[in-house]
Amino acid sequence: MARKVVAISGITGMDGSHLADFLLEQGYEVVGLVRRTSTINFERIAHIQDKIKIVQADLLDEVSLIDVLREFRPQEVYNLAAQSFVPTSFKQPVLTGEVTALGVTRMLDAVRIVDPTIRFYQASSSEMFGKVQEVPQTERTPFYPRSPYGVAKVYGHWLTVNYRESYNLFACSGILFNHEGPRRGLEFVTHKVTHGAAKIALGLAKDLKMGNLEAKRDWGYAPDYVRAQWMMLQQDAPDDYVIATGKEHSVRELCKIAFECVDLDYTRYVIENNPSDLRPAEVDHLLGDASKARKKLGWEPTVTFEQMIQIMVEADLAALKKTYNL
Ligand code: NAP
Ligand code: F7E
């Protein structure tokens, strides 16, 4: 039987690379959409580069998306590409809207035009809950986004629902809470802290400037979360699912645990409320209820917050030692 073909936008990102790993293991032929850049940034997919097909396409350019779907005829499309960093969305709100909101329209239209039987996954976010209207948050909790990024994701979510209802597409929106791992971008708080702690432990830095340490998140492990994305597209009917651990931690706890991994006391190194790391509007706390995913998909997280931080600190120590020949 012919291998199933899957197209992933955002394959150079954290989730895209983990999803590609997972789908290769499942026997899929993986087509990765990358935007043109003057220097290539394939670090996260270097280990699988000879096993996947990489093609140029940009979420800002609908024809490029249509062309890729026409050429490779995937059965599943995962739309993971986005301008995904919340602070950048305040500095570049229009770009964020173009990519993170309208990009979803371009991708959904490409699916609708080329082959409406394609199963479609949209990377929605807990940032849509923003100023939370209930605790914990479920698929039925009203949205109250607190950043241009969150607003753009609300648009993408409702467009996915709308195309499912209007054109009968198999379109799913995964409302994923924060998820992390060693491949996380260095500007996101977990990786900033584990990398900072590792640098201080190795004598490569003296302190770590941070923003609001009181913010709380429901943090999970990225490889667990991409498995949930795939599970959503294997069901009999399309639907939306919250994916979360159901446990909340503060950025302060994150600092404490990460610095303890290298036998240091974070209070001696972490500088809090650094003005440039504070946001115009903050999401104070997020806590997800993934009961629906547990029940209908049979999904469970496998790695605890503490284990994940340990994995990230160890990966950072190893990478820094290699870079600096230590
Ligand atoms: P990420 O590491 O920031 O990756 C984003 C990807 O999007 C990169 O591959 C990037 O390409 C690509 N991209 C950006 N603009 C593009 C454009 N105009 N055309 C084509 N590709 C473009 O994000 P992530 O953490 O893996 O997250 C994956 C998705 O899930 C995103 O949509 C994010 O908003 C969403 N999400 C993430 C989380 C989380 O906690 N990680 C939670 C909920 C939802 P370059 O490499 O060229 O920059
Ligand atoms: O911040 C606080 C910050 O940037 C988490 C994206 O993947 O998850 C991510 O969005 C919290 C915030 O992630 C620093 O104020 C304190 O309250 O790691 P983050 P995020 O904004 O939650 C969601 C689900 C997505 O969808 C997004 O794409 O940590 N914080 N001090 C800090 N954050 C950063 N980045 N840097 C600090 O120094």
Side-chain angles (χ1 to χ4, degrees), residues 58-110:
D58 199 305
L59 242 58
L60 298 177
D61 189 306
E62 184 160 345
V63 169
S64 70
L65 304 174
I66 292 173
D67 281 347
V68 170
L69 300 192
R70 277 212 180 116
E71 185 178 348
F72 293 97
R73 300 309 298 251
Q75 284 88 30
E76 296 174 17
V77 168
Y78 293 83
N79 185 39
L80 308 185
Q83 189 306 93
S84 74
F85 191 46
V86 170
T88 298
S89 80
F90 286 103
K91 303 268 186 212
Q92 301 179 7
V94 174
L95 174 88
T96 301
E98 284 288 353
V99 181
T100 306
L102 285 179
V104 186
T105 316
R106 297 189 189 97
M107 194 56 116
L108 276 166
D109 272 339

Side-chain angles (χ1 to χ4, degrees), residues 84 125 149 178 184 187 189 192 211-212 215 217 279 282:
S84 74
S125 165
Y149 170 80
N178 299 51
R184 185 57 141 156
E187 69 272 56
V189 76
K192 183 173 170 179
N212 169 22
R217 291 291 184 276
R279 300 174 181 191
E282 176 65 295

Side-chain angles (χ1 to χ4, degrees), residues 104-119:
V104 186
T105 316
R106 297 189 189 97
M107 194 56 116
L108 276 166
D109 272 339
V111 165
R112 189 167 67 86
I113 289 164
V114 175
D115 177 4
T117 69
I118 290 173
R119 294 186 171 207

Side-chain angles (χ1 to χ4, degrees), residues 42-236:
F42 293 171
E43 300 96 78
R44 294 184 179 107
I45 49 172
H47 62 293
I48 48 170
Q49 223 174 309
D50 56 344
K51 300 197 183 98
I52 61 180
K53 179 87 193 155
I54 294 174
V55 287
Q56 270 188 27
D58 199 305
L59 242 58
L60 298 177
D61 189 306
E62 184 160 345
V63 169
S64 70
L65 304 174
I66 292 173
D67 281 347
V68 170
L69 300 192
R70 277 212 180 116
E71 185 178 348
F72 293 97
R73 300 309 298 251
Q75 284 88 30
E76 296 174 17
V77 168
Y78 293 83
N79 185 39
L80 308 185
Q83 189 306 93
S84 74
F85 191 46
V86 170
T88 298
S89 80
F90 286 103
K91 303 268 186 212
Q92 301 179 7
V94 174
L95 174 88
T96 301
E98 284 288 353
V99 181
T100 306
L102 285 179
V104 186
T105 316
R106 297 189 189 97
M107 194 56 116
L108 276 166
D109 272 339
V111 165
R112 189 167 67 86
I113 289 164
V114 175
D115 177 4
T117 69
I118 290 173
R119 294 186 171 207
F120 176 85
Y121 173 84
Q122 168 57 17
S124 292
S125 165
S126 53
E127 280 294 299
M128 302 190 302
F129 297 121
K131 191 171 177 178
V132 296
Q133 301 297 292
E134 65 177 349
V135 180
Q137 295 86 54
T138 73
E139 293 79 7
R140 292 173 307 287
T141 303
F143 300 136
Y144 194 140
R146 292 272 280 172
S147 64
Y149 170 80
V151 173
K153 282 290 179 187
V154 171
Y155 173 95
H157 169 79
W158 282 118
L159 199 85
T160 303
V161 174
N162 180 258
Y163 272 43
R164 179 167 77 217
E165 293 173 357
S166 305
Y167 305 115
N168 207 21
L169 296 187
F170 194 110
C172 298
S173 172
I175 307 175
L176 271 52
F177 281 62
N178 299 51
H179 46 281
E180 319 290 320
R183 295 186 200 171
R184 185 57 141 156
L186 271 177
E187 69 272 56
F188 296 92
V189 76
T190 51
H191 207 177
K192 183 173 170 179
V193 171
T194 61
H195 191 255
K199 272 182 103 172
I200 292 169
L202 295 174
L204 297 168
K206 292 204 173 342
D207 56 29
L208 180 63
K209 290 191 179 66
M210 299 292 303
N212 169 22
L213 299 194
E214 307 317 328
K216 290 183 175 166
R217 291 291 184 276
D218 178 330
W219 277 294
Y221 188 51
D224 281 341
Y225 284 45
V226 299
R227 189 162 32 85
Q229 297 171 354
W230 173 77
M231 285 172 143
M232 289 178 210
L233 296 202
Q234 312 313 309
Q235 303 306 303
D236 291 336

